[in-house]
Amino acid sequence: MMYQLLRLFLKLLACIPFRVLYVLSDGMFYVLYYLIRYRREIVRKNLTESFPEKSLPEIKRIEKKFYHFFMDMIMESCKLATLSPAAIRRRMKFRNAEAVNALVRQGKSVAIYLGHYGNWEWVSSMPLWLDKRMSGAQIYRKLSNPNIDRLMLHIRERMGAVCVDMHKTARYINEQIGAGKVCVIGFIADQSPRKRESRHFLHFLHHNAPVLTGTEKIVKHYGFEAFFLNVERPRRGYYEAEFVRLHEHPQSVPDFELTSLYFSRLEQSIVRQPELYLWSHKRFRNAEVLGT
């Protein structure tokens, strides 16, 4: 019953036109930022440590832009419940998809590295741009609330991508390979590992930060090709994402090199439009600030 009520509320919210949703988003920004002060300390800490060269007024401007974008993203994600494939294709465009499709037609599977940057929920529309012979999937971390988790799976899978629990990644890939299918799988690879899992560190946003290397291990073990999804937001409600090949021969590079290339690309994106990154999560909880 709770799931049905949540789904009904989501459908009703998703029926609201974008221009009205953005008015609601602007109003919720003030509630979130000034009244609730949602994770303000975490956001300020992350920004000041990541951009030590910026003054406090500059940090505050980025901070407010982030909260504005954060509310926009929530509203935009709700729209996934009703957006048609044609509508999402107009608002979420993918460039250089032919590079991925060419590999798919050669029978090669592809791993897509992305981060908590831009509207990663809209990235679930990627299958609309790819060769229909591939099996599209996105790896996700299961939410603790089963009703919210079920609801998110519903909207994330509307455009043809299958959501795969991160703990079942290897099983899914083995099943696809066993069935003779070619995979294109999206990995949000910038999560902060638990302390006991913090085995590899690299420089990222002025931190010596622990990073997850599971995506690279999958790429090398299964012979996947590797791409980074470079996302831009030219204007409100519109995104452009470009498939950028990380390396021509990913199996030949030294260990952790693919991971370094990914975080380097992600950092470039964040520096370009810092407000589009998810500063409210504890990305640097086990990291050391450089220069301290």
Side-chain angles (χ1 to χ4, degrees), residues 131-279:
D131 193 291
K132 302 307 177 187
R133 285 169 285 192
M134 65 88 203
S135 294
Q138 52 192 323
I139 307 304
Y140 84 107
R141 179 174 290 178
K142 195 170 184 178
L143 301 176
S144 57
N145 186 308
N147 290 312
I148 299 296
D149 184 70
R150 186 180 172 189
L151 195 66
M152 292 305 297
L153 288 179
H154 166 66
I155 65 174
R156 287 170 174 169
E157 294 183 338
R158 284 193 68 240
M159 301 301 165
V162 175
C163 289
V164 178
D165 187 327
M166 60 184 296
H167 301 294
K168 299 177 181 178
T169 304
R171 181 191 302 176
Y172 172 81
I173 295 173
N174 286 327
E175 288 174 350
Q176 298 306 303
I177 291 175
K181 295 181 179 179
V182 177
C183 306
V184 177
I185 305 178
F187 296 84
I188 297 183
D190 63 338
Q191 294 98 333
S192 179
R194 297 183 179 89
K195 193 169 185 178
R196 65 177 181 274
E197 298 171 339
S198 301
R199 300 185 181 91
H200 184 65
F201 290 72
L202 53 74
H203 291 180
F204 176 59
L205 292 173
H206 203 68
H207 291 81
N208 186 37
V211 296
L212 295 173
T213 59
T215 303
E216 177 173 332
K217 292 176 182 176
I218 288 171
V219 167
K220 290 191 171 184
H221 180 77
Y222 291 101
F224 277 32
E225 300 296 328
F227 282 75
F228 171 70
L229 195 66
N230 182 40
V231 179
E232 296 180 2
R233 190 195 196 204
R235 59 194 174 102
R236 202 175 197 182
Y238 292 85
Y239 300 85
E240 295 180 2
E242 181 181 8
F243 294 103
V244 180
R245 201 163 189 175
L246 283 177
H247 199 279
E248 292 292 327
H249 305 287
Q251 283 71 46
S252 68
V253 300
D255 287 346
F256 311 123
E257 180 66 20
L258 277 180
T259 303
S260 295
L261 289 170
Y262 157 64
F263 275 99
S264 177
R265 289 279 188 178
L266 180 60
E267 182 169 317
Q268 291 173 28
S269 297
I270 294 169
V271 170
R272 183 184 65 238
Q273 284 184 284
E275 67 272 14
L276 301 188
Y277 193 53
L278 185 62
W279 297 107

Side-chain angles (χ1 to χ4, degrees), residues 100-110 180-183 223 225:
V100 176
N101 286 330
L103 292 169
V104 169
R105 288 191 286 270
Q106 294 172 35
K108 296 180 179 180
S109 291
V110 180
K181 295 181 179 179
V182 177
C183 306
E225 300 296 328

Side-chain angles (χ1 to χ4, degrees), residues 77-117:
S77 298
C78 291
K79 289 290 287 184
L80 272 178
T82 58
L83 276 178
S84 67
I88 193 68
R89 277 179 64 94
R90 287 194 300 271
R91 290 178 171 272
M92 182 78 214
K93 296 183 178 181
F94 290 84
R95 300 195 301 265
N96 198 32
E98 182 53 37
V100 176
N101 286 330
L103 292 169
V104 169
R105 288 191 286 270
Q106 294 172 35
K108 296 180 179 180
S109 291
V110 180
I112 309 294
Y113 283 82
L114 58 146
H116 288 93
Y117 182 84

